[in-house]
Every structure is written in C-alpha cells, then in structure tokens.
Amino acid sequence: MLLSDDGFSANTINGIISVLKSSLKRAVALGIAEKEYTDCIVRPKQREKQVECFSKDEQRKIEQYIYEKKKTKLFGILLCLYTGLRIGELLALTWNDVDLQKGLISVSKSCHDGWKNGAYVKIVDTPKTLCSDRVIPLPKQLLSKIKEHRKQSAGEYVVDGRSEYGAQVRSHQKTFELLLKRLHIPHKGFHSLRHTFATRALECGMDVKTLSEILGHKNPTITLKRYAHSMMEHKAEMMNRLGKLLL
C-alpha cells in the first residue's frame, strides 16, 4: 500500500502514518484490534529542501547598509550572518547569555509569537532540540561590534523591540523583508541568514563537525547533507583552479 502524497508534504504524511501506527498498536494492546495492519504501508521519501543563501555580493550589501545606517534593530541580522542563530534563538537572546570577556554566546532558549490573555506576545521557550542548547564562540571582529551595540542597548534583550520583552518574530521578519526590498535583493526568508552562515563557513574551510555543533545539529551528517550542494560559487572557483592545469 502506497499512500498518495498529492497536496501533502512528506513530513505531513509521515506524521499521519506515525499517529496511525501508534493508535493501532495501542488498540492491539487493549484488545480492541487483532493486529496493527500497517506492515504494507510505504512511507514517502523525504526530499531535502533546497537551501537558499545570499551570494557574497548580496551579503556585502546587507552588511554595508547595516554599518552605514547604524540602526540597532538591524544588528540581529548581522549577528545571524556570523553565528547561524535561528530567528527564535536570536530574539530570545538576552545580555546575560553573552559573555563579552570570553567572546561566547550561550543558546539555551528560543521564542515564538503567540496569543496570551487576548494579546499578541512573544513566548520564550526551550530550544528546538536538545542539541540546540549550545555555546557559540564569536569571531573577534564581530565581538567588537557587539560591544558597541551593547553600549547603545537599554533593554534586557540583545535585539530591542517596542516592548520590554524585545523584538517579536513576525515584526523582525517584516523588518528583514523591507531591508531586502530596499536593497533590491530578491526575497529570501530570514532562515536564509543561517544558511548563508553555514555556506560561508564551509567555503572558508570550517570542518563539518565544528559547523554541526555551532548550528546545533544532531550530527555532522545532517549538516553535510543539507549544505554540501549549496556552494555553487565555491565549486566554480575550485573548478577554475583545477582548470589552470589545462595546457
């Protein structure tokens, strides 16, 4: 039996199968059903989503604009480009999580937008996975900029917002969208900053195990599988170097 995936993602279908199998297994344990009847189900293959990252020129434009405008609310974008933080991790980051002397960021929480007591609020929660709980060393060049940003920040959160709880996810995503539009850069989601960090790290020669730990992946295989095909500029550069051997 092969379940049709028309209109549904592989993740959705596999989730339905898992619930079905769990329910039937429980039914057998309770004596409601004789057997599970799920051995013939074929799970759809999951395709890795294509990684979108910014080119070096696009990244340079983004960074230059942030440096020139000196808007504190844009600093989080720069931070993501050089740490690979997810947006929820970024906006949950407080100054207590940043060790300016040692140059370390501790990622121990994340956040998302939600409704509470009839209001749209930022909800701080645990990280995405156990592996997401990690410590990230900061590049020395970025550390000096974080220290400057700290002097201008009056709130508890690294990325300030309109409230005492810092910036909210949707609001920060909108800020990023407007920035790309202003710079005439094709639209990409905020998560592309994380993908850009990973791609640049591999291009610079960072080993996959180190990158995996910085990103908070479960193992290096996930990192390699996700990003090995995204470095087209780097691949072209390496091939051109090889081409120089041609007589």
Side-chain angles (χ1 to χ4, degrees):
M1 176 184 178
L2 176 63
L3 293 184
S4 171
D5 59 351
D6 292 343
F8 296 97
S9 69
N11 278 338
T12 299
I13 295 173
N14 282 322
I16 293 171
I17 293 173
S18 295
V19 172
L20 178 63
K21 293 188 73 169
S22 178
S23 299
L24 289 172
K25 185 176 181 179
R26 183 63 176 167
V28 172
L30 294 173
I32 300 174
E34 294 181 2
K35 56 183 296 186
E36 291 183 34
Y37 299 102
T38 57
D39 294 339
C40 55
I41 294 179
V42 178
R43 289 178 179 269
K45 293 182 179 180
Q46 290 182 270
R47 294 180 180 177
E48 191 70 38
K49 289 183 180 179
Q50 185 176 358
V51 168
E52 285 191 323
C53 70
F54 294 101
S55 68
K56 292 178 181 178
D57 286 339
E58 290 172 337
Q59 181 175 348
R60 198 173 293 112
K61 279 185 181 180
I62 293 171
E63 292 180 21
Q64 187 174 356
Y65 182 86
I66 293 173
Y67 293 148
E68 289 177 355
K69 296 301 178 181
K70 296 181 179 180
K71 292 184 178 180
T72 56
K73 70 175 183 178
L74 297 179
F75 184 78
I77 294 170
L78 182 66
L79 194 57
C80 286
L81 279 171
Y82 286 92
T83 61
L85 290 173
R86 302 176 178 93
I87 188 170
E89 296 169 341
L90 169 71
L91 301 185
L93 203 66
T94 65
W95 287 113
N96 288 333
D97 301 317
V98 183
D99 189 328
L100 293 175
Q101 288 188 331
K102 294 182 179 179
L104 301 173
I105 284 181
S106 298
V107 181
S108 60
K109 52 190 178 295
S110 186
C111 72
H112 61 275
D113 292 346
W115 287 95
K116 188 175 182 180
N117 298 325
Y120 195 55
V121 297
K122 181 166 79 175
I123 300 173
V124 178
D125 207 341
T126 54
K128 183 179 179 182
T129 65
L130 290 175
C131 299
S132 297
D133 198 329
R134 62 201 188 279
V135 177
I136 301 175
L138 294 166
K140 291 180 180 180
Q141 297 84 346
L142 180 61
L143 182 58
S144 61
K145 297 185 182 301
I146 292 179
K147 289 179 178 178
E148 292 176 13
H149 178 66
R150 178 69 180 101
K151 294 176 183 177
Q152 301 174 44
S153 177
E156 174 189 2
Y157 286 86
V158 175
V159 180
D160 294 327
R162 294 182 179 179
S163 73
E164 60 181 306
Y165 303 108
Q168 292 180 320
V169 174
R170 186 66 195 101
S171 173
H172 209 58
Q173 287 173 330
K174 189 64 177 178
T175 296
F176 182 62
E177 291 171 10
L178 292 174
L179 171 62
L180 296 184
K181 189 174 182 180
R182 189 173 290 114
L183 296 176
H184 305 289
I185 295 175
H187 172 76
K188 291 181 180 65
F190 196 94
H191 206 67
S192 294
L193 295 171
R194 177 173 165 87
H195 293 326
T196 301
F197 162 78
T199 301
R200 295 288 104 82
L202 289 171
E203 289 173 350
C204 288
M206 184 182 292
D207 65 275
V208 178
K209 187 177 186 302
T210 297
L211 177 59
S212 177
E213 291 175 357
I214 290 175
L215 290 172
H217 285 166
K218 187 176 181 180
N219 58 63
T221 303
I222 294 174
T223 310
L224 189 60
K225 183 179 179 182
R226 187 164 298 171
Y227 294 107
H229 63 281
S230 68
M231 304 162 14
M232 189 54 66
E233 287 183 57
H234 184 64
K235 289 174 184 175
E237 183 181 343
M238 294 300 103
M239 291 297 282
N240 287 332
R241 285 188 188 181
L242 178 65
K244 290 179 180 180
L245 300 174
L246 186 64
L247 297 177

